Amino acid sequence: LHVAATTAVPIVALFGPTLPARSMPWRTPALPAIALEPGPLPCRPCHQRTCVPGDFRCLTAITPDAVIDAATALLEAGR
């Protein structure tokens, strides 16, 4: 994510245990980026290296379809 932020490519950022407000890289508004989150979870944000509930719900709740939709939206906006 942070390496991609140094380029001019659109970014789809996935946030599981961390929040975009804390970890989304700064970019000029001319360079598009979308932050995807799993929604509210009682264990989030946790900033832990291991998943206390054990099921990584903060990451598995972000669906492949949501990522594809966000990427498609960014690519279409760039046309």
Side-chain angles (χ1 to χ4, degrees):
L1 171 62
H2 296 285
V3 171
T6 67
T7 70
V9 299
I11 294 175
V12 176
L14 310 181
F15 289 93
T18 60
L19 301 175
R22 177 182 179 272
S23 300
M24 186 74 168
W26 180 87
R27 301 183 93 193
T28 177
L31 298 174
I34 293 177
L36 292 181
E37 300 183 74
L41 295 170
C43 54
R44 188 175 177 262
C46 71
H47 309 289
Q48 301 299 315
R49 292 195 178 270
T50 58
C51 179
V52 174
D55 58 7
F56 299 97
R57 63 187 75 175
C58 62
L59 294 173
T60 58
I62 301 171
T63 66
D65 286 340
V67 176
I68 291 168
D69 290 346
T72 301
L74 286 174
L75 291 172
E76 288 175 355
R79 292 184 184 172

